[in-house]
Structures are given as structure tokens and as C-alpha cells.
Amino acid sequence: MGWIRRAGALLAIVGMVAAGALVVRQRWGRPNASAEALYATARVRRGSIQADVSGSATLQPAQSVTLSAPAAGTVDQVSVQQGESVKSGQVVAVLRDPQLAQSIAQAQLKVHADLETLAAATGTSLSQAQNINPQQGVTVRAPQAGRITELDVAAGEQVTAGEVLGKIIDSHTVIMDVNLVPYQQALVADGEAARVHFSNFSGWVDGTLEQVSANGIPSSSGTAEVYPAEVVLNNPGLLQPGDRGQVEIHASGTWLTLTKDYTITSFGKESVVHSPINATAQAVDVAQNAWVRQGQTLFALGGGSAAAVIAGDELTLQQDEASLSTLRQQQAALTVTSPLTGVVSVVDVKSAQQVGNGAEIASVYSPDQMTLTLAVSELQVTQVKKGQSVRISTPGLHGKTFTGAVLAVDTVGTSGSGLSTFDVQIAVDGRGELLPGMTADARIITATASTALLVPVEAVLQQSGGDEVEVLSNGQVATVPVTVGLVNGSDAQILSGLSLGQTVVTGAATGAIANAVRAALAKKPSGPAGGGKTGGGGKAAGAPPSPPPAG
């Protein structure tokens, strides 16, 4: 019995449609009868509208960098992986160049030698030599504490490099050069107690055994082997070089007497002071037999030749320091760091790999800012201006919208099939979510209007004489010329021709009743010929309008 009920329901629907058609047919003869049933309509409303130019393009990072090897070498370590986030200044890879390291070591030795030369020429320390003023001349200082036993220059005299200016002696100790026979050398060591008895003095003078040689030499007679050593004695104040005495060395609990007497060869500390440069002795600050401290000023040397020598030494030092600095910069560059905060897109090397100068190490991009290049038709490019807002979406992040702005608009187009296109550069705020290579849909907001009169864009008919809109009033459709302002994909701004609240035709109505009405109207006898003037769009004024095609 189910099919009987379904058949009955179907007959009821058909009957309703037929009844509807009958009503329309009955009302057709009256004005304003049933034309509304044939159309989709909308009210003229007030609102905001944005006009835009749209298109799709591929996203690219606004900031990206490819890091390369500053010199040939070996990859010592790789500190990042593809897809890893990095900070600005973070180490990406470290290279090693043994030849560069050797060059740096040699350059360091040369700079040190330059400093020693300058310090010796100016009588200063290594640290002071770096800041010497050539015009100030040279200050010669005492290399040790002691007494000035010789003074060989006076103020105003010319001196040459290497010339002896004076001699300083510290007489608190004296030194005797002695020789040990093999069995004695085997029993003693540096630091053993020693004593000497001088014939012209009573008692013993105490001291120590120093500088015992491990290698024997032939004796003066050539018949035996002896081992040189020094006996350093505390000078009671009377001993002088040339004094002769008997030497004993304490070893193994007893005193060993050397086979012959020995002579004092020198005071414990003696220094000969030389002129470091060709110069004039501008001042002599010490006197003969005066006691001086280590580092005390002895002489002031100067003059044109001295300044020239110092300036030359300084120039050599500066040039070698510059060369060393360049090498150190090259070494520092072997530690490859990221210049920006971003994401590692590519790693091109691995540890222990040999690379050449300029070889690509890695690539890094910033995910915060992206760019895209939109190809805009010559029909729309005049609407696009630098600074206009852009709305960005991408299929990969459905439901999310990103903001951007027009950076630049090309002034020279590219010819295509019929129309030229112009590249528009757009900056996109990626917020760290967009990826290079994503396809993005961009809407450039070219203009906006608020409190505008709006109709659906499909209500506007473009005719040769201008834009028109069909207005439905009291069941009758009338064509009205309008002035259109901004247009986007859904709405059109009406500048003149319509008023708020009017009903406009946007297309044909759909559904079973509308189709039945169309069928009933199609069977209605035609009215008298010449029944009225034809309006815009080919519809007869005063007659039931032909429904536009569905869609």
C-alpha cells in the first residue's frame, strides 16, 4: 500500500502546482499580478564596501641568506639541522684551515719581534713601546740595580747605535769560574754549599755552587776531562775581580777541595749600557760611581735621526699588526654564524667535508615576513598603488587570514595573450606561520566607502548606453539608469539612480512554483500587437517581462 500513498502525495503536489498556475493565469489580466514570482530580488541597503584586485601567487621569504665558506678548509662541525630555528649570531658551522693557523702564529712572532726592536730602540717595556712618540726621543733606563762604574757620554754628544754609554755593577756578589774533575761532578749538584779562602784575608767567604755542567770539556793541559761550574760568593765588600783563593765544595757530609786555586772573574751582576739608536745625548741623569735602581732613567737621547728610526720601527710594527688583524678576522670568519633570526631551510655540508672558498654552507630565512609577486592585468593595474592594504589567505592554512601591503608596482608590463600584466610586489606579515612555496590568494584593497547605497553586483546590467538596474515596484519591473561607484565580488555601490529600500531584480526565481508560473504564462494568449515601447534589455514596457535566464 506504500506506493498508493506515494502516488497520492505526488498527485497532491502536481495539483498544488496546477492550482498555483491557475491563480496566476486568473490574475494575469489585472495590473501588478504575479511578476514578482518570476524574479529573485534584493533591497537597496546602506553599508560599507571595499573594492579589490585579486590574484594568486607563490610566497617567498622577504629575508633570506645563503651562508658560504670564507676560505677553503675542512668542516670541523655543523651545529644546525634543516628546519631548525636559529637566532641572529648563532653558530651554524665551524671550518678549520691549518695553513691559516700557521700564518697567524708566524705573524704573532713577527709582531712580538717588532715590539722588542722598538722597545730596545726606545728603552721602554713592550707595553710602553706601542704608544711611544718618536718626537719625544729615547729614554735609556738602568737594566739592573748597581753602581755606575763607567760613564762614557756627556750631554750634547753624538752617539751611534750600539755605542757604550756606561757600565753598572752590583758588587754584592762575586763569581768564580771553576772546573770539577769527574768524581767531584758526580758527587755535587747546583745549590751545594761552597766556601773560599783568600790568602790576603782571614777566614772563609761563604757561597753556593751554581751552573754545574753535565758535559765534560778537555782541561787546559788536555790530559783530563773537567766539568765547568760557577761559585757565587757573598761579597763582604772587599772582594774584586782578580782576587785569588782556595775553593772547597760541601758534598756527602764532607768538604771537597778543588785541585787548584781560582780567581774571581766578575761581580755577580754587571751590565753594559749601549745606545739603542743614532742620536744626540740630550741629558745625562746619573754621575760616576752613583748607585742606581733597576729601571731608573740614565740618559735621554733624541734628535732628528732618533725620531726617524723610531718612526720607522713604529711603521713596521703597525703594518705587521694590521696583517695579523686581517688574519685573525679570516680565522674568526671560519666560524659561520647566522646573520638573522629565522629557520634553516638548507644545510649543504657535513662534518669532515672538504669545502672550497665560497662553497655554500647553509641557507636561513625569516618566517615573519614574506613576499609575493602578483601579476595584475592592465585593466586593473591603474587601481593599485603603493601602500594599499592586502588580505592574504592560503589553502594550507584554511580559515586564517594574513595582512600585507603593496610594496611596489612595476611601470613596464609583460605582454601576454591579448592583455599585458604588471608585477605587483606585496609584503606579507607571515606571523611565523607561512612557509616559502605556499600558494597564496591576495586581495588588494584598492578603495573603500562607508554608508554607501549598495545592491548585489548581479543587479547591475552593463549596457552600451551605461549601467542600468531593474526595479520591481507594485509587481511591475522598470529599468532605471544608475551611476555605479565601487564594485567587488558581491556588491556594487550606487552613486545615483536608486534610493534606500527600493527592490531590485537580481535574477530569476527558482523552484517548482516559479517554473509552473513560467509554464502557465507561456500558454497565455499574446496581447495586442504594438502594445508598448521596448525598454532597456529588450523587455516590453507595460507587458509582463520575460524572465531572465536562471543562474
Side-chain angles (χ1 to χ4, degrees):
M1 297 296 293
W3 67 271
I4 297 178
R5 289 194 294 270
R6 287 195 294 270
L10 180 60
L11 289 173
I13 293 173
V14 171
M16 292 173 61
V17 170
L22 178 61
V23 170
V24 170
R25 294 180 64 182
Q26 290 173 345
R27 296 178 60 192
W28 182 254
R30 295 194 300 270
N32 309 328
S34 58
E36 296 182 20
L38 300 178
Y39 298 100
T41 61
R43 297 282 185 180
V44 178
R45 71 186 193 280
R46 194 173 295 279
S48 298
I49 184 172
Q50 292 181 335
D52 60 61
V53 173
S54 303
S56 298
T58 301
L59 289 167
Q60 296 297 335
Q63 283 186 295
S64 63
V65 62
T66 298
L67 307 176
S68 57
T74 303
V75 179
D76 206 24
Q77 69 180 63
V78 179
S79 305
V80 297
Q81 296 179 351
Q82 184 177 359
E84 180 180 343
S85 296
V86 294
K87 299 288 187 181
S88 176
Q90 182 175 333
V91 174
V92 173
V94 178
L95 309 183
R96 183 178 66 255
D97 184 357
Q99 185 175 357
L100 179 59
Q102 183 178 0
S103 298
I104 290 175
Q106 293 173 346
Q108 287 174 327
L109 291 175
K110 196 168 189 318
V111 167
H112 186 76
D114 293 341
L115 277 172
E116 288 183 328
T117 299
L118 187 56
T122 57
T124 59
S125 66
L126 294 180
S127 59
Q128 292 171 329
Q130 290 180 308
N131 301 311
I132 197 72
N133 182 355
Q135 301 305 320
Q136 292 178 348
V138 175
T139 300
V140 181
R141 304 180 185 276
Q144 67 168 61
R147 193 175 303 280
I148 302 293
T149 59
E150 295 181 18
L151 192 59
D152 300 320
V153 66
E157 291 183 354
Q158 298 292 320
V159 295
T160 58
E163 181 178 339
V164 175
L165 303 180
K167 186 176 183 181
I168 303 174
I169 293 176
D170 181 359
S171 59
H172 288 102
T173 58
V174 293
I175 296 175
M176 302 180 76
D177 292 330
V178 299
N179 291 320
L180 306 177
V181 296
Y183 88 90
Q184 294 171 334
Q185 190 267 352
L187 295 174
V188 300
D190 284 2
E192 299 282 8
R195 63 187 185 185
V196 179
H197 175 68
F198 295 93
S199 57
N200 52 343
F201 296 101
S202 60
W204 295 85
V205 178
D206 295 328
T208 57
L209 182 68
E210 304 290 348
Q211 305 294 327
V212 179
S213 175
N215 301 311
I217 61 173
S219 64
S220 58
S221 63
T223 59
E225 187 177 52
V226 294
Y227 294 83
E230 289 182 356
V231 173
V232 181
L233 300 175
N234 299 318
N235 189 357
L238 300 175
L239 298 177
Q240 299 285 332
D243 290 344
R244 194 176 185 83
Q246 182 183 10
V247 180
E248 291 186 355
I249 308 297
H250 190 268
S252 302
T254 187
W255 289 95
L256 304 176
T257 303
L258 301 191
T259 57
K260 68 174 185 177
D261 292 349
Y262 286 93
T263 300
I264 295 175
T265 53
S266 66
F267 289 106
K269 291 184 178 179
E270 296 182 358
S271 296
V272 177
V273 181
H274 299 88
S275 173
I277 56 175
N278 298 326
T280 301
Q282 296 178 330
V284 177
D285 297 326
V286 292
Q288 182 79 21
N289 294 321
W291 182 268
V292 296
R293 303 179 310 277
Q294 183 178 358
Q296 182 177 332
T297 298
L298 303 180
F299 312 101
L301 308 180
S305 58
V309 171
I310 297 171
D313 290 343
E314 277 192 321
L315 179 60
T316 299
L317 173 62
Q318 291 168 359
Q319 291 172 339
D320 290 340
E321 284 180 330
S323 298
L324 176 59
S325 177
T326 299
L327 292 173
R328 283 175 171 164
Q329 289 174 1
Q330 294 175 1
Q331 186 180 49
L334 293 178
T335 300
V336 181
T337 60
S338 174
L340 55 86
T341 297
V343 177
V344 178
S345 57
V346 178
V347 177
D348 297 297
V349 296
K350 58 185 179 181
S351 182
Q353 179 179 338
Q354 297 289 326
V355 295
N357 185 12
E360 293 185 359
I361 301 296
S363 296
V364 179
Y365 75 92
S366 172
D368 295 331
Q369 295 294 326
M370 292 285 172
T371 64
L372 57 84
T373 302
L374 201 64
V376 176
S377 165
E378 64 179 87
L379 300 177
Q380 295 178 296
V381 73
T382 56
Q383 305 172 37
V384 180
K385 301 291 186 293
K386 180 179 179 180
Q388 288 175 333
S389 298
V390 185
R391 297 290 180 267
I392 310 294
S393 61
T394 178
L397 295 171
H398 182 69
K400 290 190 175 183
T401 301
F402 301 84
T403 60
V406 175
L407 286 178
V409 181
D410 279 5
T411 56
V412 178
T414 301
S415 297
S417 55
L419 294 175
S420 295
T421 59
F422 293 76
D423 284 346
V424 175
Q425 306 296 325
I426 298 173
V428 182
D429 181 5
R431 303 197 301 262
E433 300 180 63
L434 297 175
L435 299 176
M438 279 185 168
T439 299
D441 298 320
R443 290 178 55 238
I444 304 173
I445 310 303
T446 58
T448 61
S450 58
T451 65
L453 287 180
L454 303 178
V455 297
V457 68
E458 56 266 24
V460 179
L461 305 174
Q462 292 182 324
Q463 304 293 348
S464 58
D467 295 329
E468 298 175 347
V469 171
E470 292 179 329
V471 176
L472 181 63
S473 177
N474 297 322
Q476 297 295 321
V477 175
T479 301
V480 176
V482 294
T483 302
V484 177
L486 302 181
V487 178
N488 60 23
S490 59
D491 295 316
Q493 178 189 17
I494 303 300
L495 300 177
S496 65
L498 296 178
S499 59
L500 184 66
Q502 284 185 286
T503 301
V504 297
V505 176
T506 61
T510 59
I513 294 178
N515 291 335
V517 170
R518 292 189 183 93
L521 292 177
K523 296 177 182 179
K524 186 179 185 301
S526 301
K533 181 172 67 172
T534 303
K539 292 187 280 288
S546 300

